[in-house]
Amino acid sequence: MGSRSFSYDLIQENRRDLVITVFPDCRVEVRAPASRPLERVTARVHARRSWIARQLKTFEDCAPMPPHRFAQAESCWYLGRQYRLRIERTGRGVAIRSGRLVVRVSRGAGTAAVRLAVLAWYGQRARAVFLKRMAQLQSAIAMLTKLDVQLRVRRMKRRWGSCTAQGTITINPELLQTPASCIDYVLVHEMLHLIEPHHSPRFYRLLSRAMPDWEQRRSRLASAAHRSWSLS
């Protein structure tokens, strides 16, 4: 698998680490320090070719998701489980009930009102779920226990999370559609950047200590991402 050929977009910029990203549309992007010689960048990509090939195959094996229409009986994902959308024109509110994501809107409300109600619910649930899981992870993983972490929830086009040197981690609310194990992976990944800010060998050693199965979780996340829909 690692011998397959692929092209990639190279972006050289003012940064210290090299990051390789495979997007659901099978586009490969490499962001590298502008000061790093091209042959070193190429060597790094070559060393990661097996992982890149696996990510490409994962996305190729998944059927693309059509745009979400916020219509009756449409599929929605929450914490890795599929729910059917049930629209009731009897008031206001959103809740999971009997295997359905039930959205209550006023009698004359249209699709736009359903969409706003669902997106608002996801945003509220995202913060509550992420805070709870972050607390559980800090309690269970010794190296995270004493970290002073502030959580921010904000939609990002191409990232699940980010971290600042001041201790704020930003998590994409669309992550709420994926299994809890994937959410935990992203949270641990970002919290560890408070210990090691770069994707260095030390960072991956810390990640392997904190979460030995992180590579499987990352692959699961890539697969789940393909069936999620935008919360924009």
Side-chain angles (χ1 to χ4, degrees):
M1 182 180 292
S3 61
R4 69 169 288 175
S5 61
F6 56 85
S7 60
Y8 58 89
D9 298 324
L10 174 61
I11 301 172
Q12 294 179 294
E13 55 191 3
N14 184 22
R15 61 183 301 131
R16 296 184 61 181
D17 54 336
L18 184 148
V19 176
I20 302 172
T21 306
V22 182
F23 294 102
D25 61 3
C26 292
R27 181 169 54 85
V28 181
E29 179 183 272
V30 178
R31 292 182 173 269
S35 59
R36 186 168 299 186
L38 184 58
E39 57 269 21
R40 288 185 58 193
V41 174
T42 304
R44 179 68 180 276
V45 174
H46 183 75
R48 297 288 289 163
R49 65 190 185 281
S50 293
W51 174 80
I52 295 170
R54 288 197 301 273
Q55 300 308 303
L56 289 170
K57 187 175 188 306
T58 295
F59 288 131
E60 288 168 351
D61 289 346
C62 295
M65 288 291 292
H68 206 281
R69 297 178 295 113
F70 296 92
Q72 197 76 260
E74 195 169 24
S75 292
C76 298
W77 291 86
Y78 176 72
L79 295 179
R81 291 187 59 186
Q82 185 180 33
Y83 296 88
R84 294 293 180 183
L85 192 62
R86 177 173 177 175
I87 302 170
E88 297 181 353
R89 303 186 185 280
T90 56
R92 297 179 64 182
V94 181
I96 290 177
R97 190 169 69 230
S98 302
R100 299 284 189 273
L101 183 63
V102 181
V103 184
R104 299 176 65 197
V105 293
S106 62
R107 187 175 299 276
T111 301
V114 175
R115 174 181 176 275
L116 288 175
V118 171
L119 299 189
W121 181 82
Y122 268 97
Q124 293 164 2
R125 292 301 305 152
R127 182 166 184 82
V129 170
F130 297 161
L131 281 172
K132 180 179 179 180
R133 301 208 69 83
M134 191 165 67
Q136 292 173 340
L137 290 165
Q138 287 193 274
S139 177
I141 302 174
M143 71 179 77
L144 304 179
T145 301
K146 295 184 179 180
L147 294 179
D148 182 13
V149 187
Q150 301 298 316
L151 174 70
R152 182 172 64 167
V153 177
R154 181 174 64 85
R155 183 178 176 269
M156 294 173 280
K157 288 185 177 181
R158 295 184 176 179
R159 304 180 71 176
W160 290 117
S162 65
C163 175
T164 70
Q166 291 72 38
T168 298
I169 65 171
T170 300
I171 304 297
N172 193 331
E174 295 182 16
L175 187 64
L176 190 65
Q177 299 176 75
T178 70
S181 61
C182 298
I183 295 173
D184 289 352
Y185 160 68
V186 174
L187 289 171
V188 169
H189 184 112
E190 298 305 333
M191 284 192 282
L192 284 176
H193 276 311
L194 297 176
I195 301 174
E196 170 52 61
H198 308 295
H199 289 109
S200 63
R202 177 176 180 249
F203 173 82
Y204 288 106
R205 287 196 298 269
L206 290 171
L207 184 56
S208 294
R209 279 174 51 199
M211 185 171 279
D213 64 341
W214 68 268
E215 290 189 276
Q216 292 93 322
R217 293 178 188 239
R218 184 174 63 180
S219 295
R220 197 176 309 140
L221 175 60
S223 178
H226 207 75
R227 62 173 180 252
S228 65
W229 44 272
S230 173
L231 301 184
S232 61

